[in-house]
Amino acid sequence: MSGEVIKTARRLFEILEYFDAVQRPLTLKEVAARFDCPVSSASALLKSMVVLGYLDYDRYSRTYMPTMRIVQLGHWVQGALFGEGSIISLMNYLSRETQETVSIGTQSDLYMQYIHTVPSPRAIQFAIRPGTIRPLARSGLGWIILSARSDEMIEKLVRRINFEEEDASLKVDLHELMQRIEKIRADGYVISQHTVTVGAGVIGMLLPERRHGRVLAIGVGGPTERLVANTDHILRVLREGIARYLTTEEQDAALA
């Protein structure tokens, strides 16, 4: 796949994410200015999205707006990933009880990817957007996802990760990683501090169900000082929440 094709595809999704961020119609000049590109290039891209049915154009206000086709495209995803609302209910429960950011992560090839988040209501928070990726072998939720894999699979993943990593300082030491994984397996949870972002951390657990074969992990993230002070409480509500919202029937249905 050529670099130009990748660049165009990325820009299409960036424009849709920009609409999601501002939540209002946008003019051609606003889009061009936001992405620092020629007006002619932005115009061609927006017009193509109109032709494909993903945007509509109002000639009176001279603005573009996403169509309901965008909503319909992803309508099935929440049910496929989260079932009949049990995982969403769990996230809302943890958000109320901890007042921290709650997130769901899964493996995306060599990365851990956040697929849903409930932001903290606090002014100082651990903010993350769905879709954000982190190194699978160098992140808190990545470690706990790996703990669900076999030792053989972890070794294969580490070989691939190290092969693709050009920075020698970021290559993964398999022995150190396995020591960490063994502790997580024994504890049943992960506590990560300053791993990806200095001053931030996450306390996470595996969910006792998979969605379409995907291993899911749930994490409570925030400033490390708050997480350290409330570790026991967070672990307790994680255990209670998982037991309360993810029933045996729902687990059986997810695995069927």
Side-chain angles (χ1 to χ4, degrees), residues 89-135:
S89 296
L90 169 61
M91 296 181 73
N92 291 333
Y93 166 76
L94 293 174
S95 176
R96 291 193 305 271
E97 293 296 320
T98 67
Q99 296 291 294
E100 301 291 1
T101 296
V102 180
S103 57
I104 296 289
T106 192
Q107 182 178 349
S108 179
D109 196 21
L110 302 182
Y111 299 91
M112 185 285 296
Q113 184 171 46
Y114 292 99
I115 57 175
H116 191 56
T117 62
V118 177
S120 168
R122 301 186 182 189
I124 300 176
Q125 60 173 273
F126 176 66
I128 197 78
R129 285 180 62 87
T132 300
I133 59 174
R134 295 285 186 257

Side-chain angles (χ1 to χ4, degrees), residues 50-119:
V50 170
V51 171
L52 292 170
Y54 296 111
L55 298 181
D56 66 35
Y57 177 68
D58 181 75
R59 65 176 61 253
Y60 300 102
S61 62
R62 296 185 179 181
T63 59
Y64 294 85
M65 181 77 174
T67 67
M68 288 302 293
R69 186 172 184 178
I70 298 296
V71 178
Q72 295 168 352
L73 275 176
H75 185 70
W76 64 276
V77 175
Q78 179 167 313
L81 289 175
F82 307 125
E84 297 301 318
S86 57
I87 295 178
I88 300 298
S89 296
L90 169 61
M91 296 181 73
N92 291 333
Y93 166 76
L94 293 174
S95 176
R96 291 193 305 271
E97 293 296 320
T98 67
Q99 296 291 294
E100 301 291 1
T101 296
V102 180
S103 57
I104 296 289
T106 192
Q107 182 178 349
S108 179
D109 196 21
L110 302 182
Y111 299 91
M112 185 285 296
Q113 184 171 46
Y114 292 99
I115 57 175
H116 191 56
T117 62
V118 177

